[in-house]
Amino acid sequence: MRDPFLLLGVGHDADDDAIREAFLAAIRDCPPDRDAQRYESLRQAYARIATRRDRLAFEMLDREFPEPPDILDRAAPLSGSRRPDPGVLRALLRGER
Amino acid sequence: MAKKRKKQAKRASSSRALSPEDLLRAGREALAARRYREAMDHFKAVAKTDTDGSVWEAGLAEAYRGRALELQAKGMEREALMIWENLDRLLPGRAPDPAHLILCLRMGRSAIVAQGYKALVQGGESTAARALLQAHLAASCLGEGRAPDFLEADDPVLRDAEPARAALEAYCRGEEATASEALRRIPFRSPYRDYAAAMKALLMLGTDSSAAERLLARIDADSPFHAFAEAVRLAWLPEPAFLDALRQAGPQSRTLAFALRGWPEERVRLWQELEKIDASANPLQLVGLLDRLREPLGEPWARQKMRALVLAKMPRQPPPAAMRAFSHTDWNLISAQHVEDDYDLWTVVDRWRTVFARMRADYPGSAEPGNDAALRIALLQRRLATELKLLKTPAGSEVEQELEQSLSLDPEYLPGYLLLIRHFRESMLPKEARRILAEAQRRWPEDVELLNEALDLALDNGAFKKATGLARRILAKDPINRRARRSLYQAHLAHARKQWRGGRADLALREMEQAESWSDDAGGRARVELLRGIVLLETGSGDSDALKAACERAAPGAAGWLMLALEAARVGVAPRALLKRARFGKVPALKRDDVLAFARLLREEAETGGDVLAEALAPFQSALEKAARLKLQREDYETLCESLRLAGHALLRATFAKAALKRWRGDPLFELHAFQAKRSDPRHVEVTLSDIHRLETAMDRAQAEGDTRTAMRLEQEFRKLYPPPAFDPFAPDEDFDDDDFPDGDFDLGPPPSEEELRALLDLLEGTPEGRRLRDLERELGSEEVLKALAEAAGDIADMPAPPRPPPPAKPRKRTRRGKSRPKRADDADPDSDDNSPDQLKLF
């Protein structure tokens, strides 16, 4: 299961209101009828950190293993899309995978 | 090589032995089965005897083509090219094959490509072949950055190359509008059509994934732009599908995806490192990585995840990184969580209390109610009652204390008060419940849930008028509050029982009318009717027929009788005597529906905490024992055993479990019920070897059948019999204090005799220690070994007493009410062998 803070895109110091807003914004972008699986993960993430007590309990009692995307997002976050070198596209067009 | 020649010779000899017709047929069969080399041999053999090429030429060409493509698919392009060349030699002048030309293009044989392409363009009969080759020429033109020099000036490959190249370069410079404009200049039927589709999908990145996917889906697997399209698709994938697909992707596809998704170099390196770690097989491998990356990951998060990893592999020795990184609180948390599932109750409670003590010491300001440190402790304290459900265990008093302390640390948490109030009510401690209720109502005077608790407390206390007032107050706030209505019904019914027990049948009947008016279901009204029937019969104003009719309305058959018996027991009327007075006669033989209705009633009564079950069941004991012999379904037995477990009726539970075992021999679930029922019967506290064997067999079977729940329940029974050792990395430093225990010698009796030592050797036969002793015996001789053993035993006897295991963290007396906790079967007995020092390592 993904880290709920990363999934909702909020910092660890976010308060109840900020987390609720992030959750509502996320489900507005991805309502259940468009992507039920993502909606369910968002819902579960929100349930885990909705209140201050939930967040403290999560921090102390979390038994989930770290997911590779969580480690990557935390330790080396994305730096913004950049354009590829034309050489890469040419190599792919030559059939090099 | 010799083997290959042998195969070739075998194929050739088989061809020689056949007639031309047979050879042709065999060749076609081999072609259909994709045995191209065999087909080639057969058709070549025909060619030697038959000069009419129309018979075998097509087959031979197809066999060569098949073989060449087969080799190409294996990456053996040189060998494939040789096959094509051999085919050209065998059948000169045939139309060029685009597959051959595409291979030549890839291998730089431009003369052959030029010749073949010219033939295809001039021939004009194979549009698809020409289009395919043109698409490959277009891809080559873009990939190599230059066009083949044999193309005519008006060739579409050459003509559309300029906008295609312009789109690529503009895209890479980030000029999306220019790129789109260039793509628009590529006609629909251009050899660059697939390229244009892939580029358009690339330009859509991050916007409309379904439109992009539709564009990419148009590109066939044999298109020269397929690899490009696949790379674009990879870049589009959502996580975590992207990470999975990344493993299969080639380096160029990855580079494109990394750039488009904004992966910095350090992220790529970290991903490569993560790929080498098989976290599912060994999660501890991740601990070192998390430790190294503690700063970028965030210290609390890294430790949180490291704790999860170490906890999952407890009690395995944690990696050094964890030993370095964890604080005492971390270790205490891990240790407490580790023992939760399998260890005995007191270990769990003690470990958690150690955590609380440690946190109080570690977190400055934890005494200030409402701050994070205080909330953390309060959360864990509540957890003993909520998640671990330890309130109704022999450690309930300790958990209760923790729960009460949690209120002072987290006073703004209403569910904490409700939990404690309900617990005190259920524990028949109304005074304590009222104290907590008063505290809570000072903060939330009009809270409906608290008013509901006040109502229930008033009912418990027999303050029916107060209860009625509270219920009306709740209903004024929340007119459809079912709980209040039900409480009012129960208040009047309980009051009616009280009035009847107090000899006021008139007032009891009036209360029953009130109860009936608040009842919102037929079951509630039936219960009132039964009570009314009892009261009227006992006062001489009713008759048995009316009571029988009330029973029938309450529930058909014997279940109605049981409802009557339960109601009679509640008002202090002996059920057996009542049934006799009302001339109910002998309890009829129970049918399946009756026993299932009994199971439901037992569950309901057990859930409401009723204590009249044994008395109410007494008249039906014999009928129920007989009913165990009915041919019930497996799930019926399961329901009955479970209901009887809840009702605490060990005898009947054992009866039904045994009856089920007669039909489903060795069924793990019924073995569990039979064992637990036997254990809860005070006459059968001893566990025999046969019991253990049956438990083991049942557990193995449950595991083999995938019945995890029963397997776990059986395993818990085992753990109760043989609790495993606990792991606590700080135990020697923190929990043990030699000064707490007086020194003294253990009296181990006289040193063992030679016979006893020999018997010990025999007992150890087959164990590692036994084998080592036998080796020593062979090496040093029997006498020396026995002497060493005797000396070792003497040393033990002469040793001062080693420290004993520590006492529990806190005294386990119910200080407030002066009750001591009940003794548990699995509690350590100070006189038992369990408390003796660990066996010294002699070997």
Side-chain angles (χ1 to χ4, degrees), chain B residues 483-532:
Chain B
R483 187 177 164 192
R485 294 180 74 87
R486 203 161 43 243
S487 295
L488 260 178
Y489 159 78
Q490 280 164 353
H492 287 297
L493 193 62
H495 202 189
R497 289 184 190 127
K498 186 180 171 187
Q499 296 289 15
W500 160 245
R501 281 196 298 268
R504 294 299 307 268
D506 54 333
L507 295 180
L509 288 167
R510 200 183 302 163
E511 286 295 328
M512 280 180 235
E513 276 174 32
Q514 286 288 321
E516 221 164 8
S517 68
W518 286 107
S519 166
D520 53 5
D521 64 351
R525 284 188 291 276
R527 193 178 279 185
V528 174
E529 215 181 332
L530 286 175
L531 180 59
R532 188 181 286 127

Side-chain angles (χ1 to χ4, degrees), chain B residues 376-424:
Chain B
R376 279 195 180 94
I377 301 172
L379 272 163
L380 297 176
Q381 285 174 318
R382 276 197 297 272
R383 194 164 174 275
L384 294 178
T386 51
E387 267 94 292
L388 302 185
K389 305 193 186 314
L390 299 182
L391 266 173
K392 287 180 183 165
T393 65
S397 174
E398 279 73 9
V399 178
E400 198 179 284
Q401 284 173 22
E402 298 298 339
L403 197 52
E404 202 163 338
Q405 278 181 22
S406 80
L407 297 184
S408 56
L409 291 169
D410 186 6
E412 293 299 321
Y413 189 64
L414 175 60
Y417 292 89
L418 291 168
L419 186 66
L420 199 54
I421 293 165
R422 283 167 197 157
H423 165 68
F424 281 137

Side-chain angles (χ1 to χ4, degrees), chain B residues 621-632:
Chain B
Q621 173 103 11
S622 167
L624 277 165
E625 281 171 7
K626 283 178 193 159
R629 293 196 287 270
L630 286 171
K631 294 281 177 200
L632 299 173

Side-chain angles (χ1 to χ4, degrees), chain A residues 3 52-53 58-59 61-65 72-74 76 78-84 90 93-94 97, chain B residues 143-144 171-172 176 250 252-253 259-260 262-263 267 296-297 301 304-305 307 337 370 372 376 410:
Chain A
D3 180 76
R52 183 178 165 209
R53 289 177 187 83
F58 173 68
E59 183 202 309
L61 301 166
D62 174 30
R63 286 189 175 205
E64 297 284 340
F65 289 176
L72 291 170
D73 284 350
R74 284 182 162 274
L78 298 174
S79 58
S81 178
R82 55 185 190 277
R83 288 306 153 98
R90 289 199 187 104
L93 290 163
R94 285 195 300 271
R97 288 171 194 269
Chain B
E144 302 296 342
Y171 177 77
C172 291
E176 293 188 3
Q252 301 297 349
S253 306
L260 294 174
W263 279 43
R267 189 178 173 100
L297 286 172
W301 191 85
Q304 176 183 327
K305 291 299 175 185
R307 279 201 307 268
Q337 282 180 282
D372 274 3
R376 279 195 180 94
D410 186 6

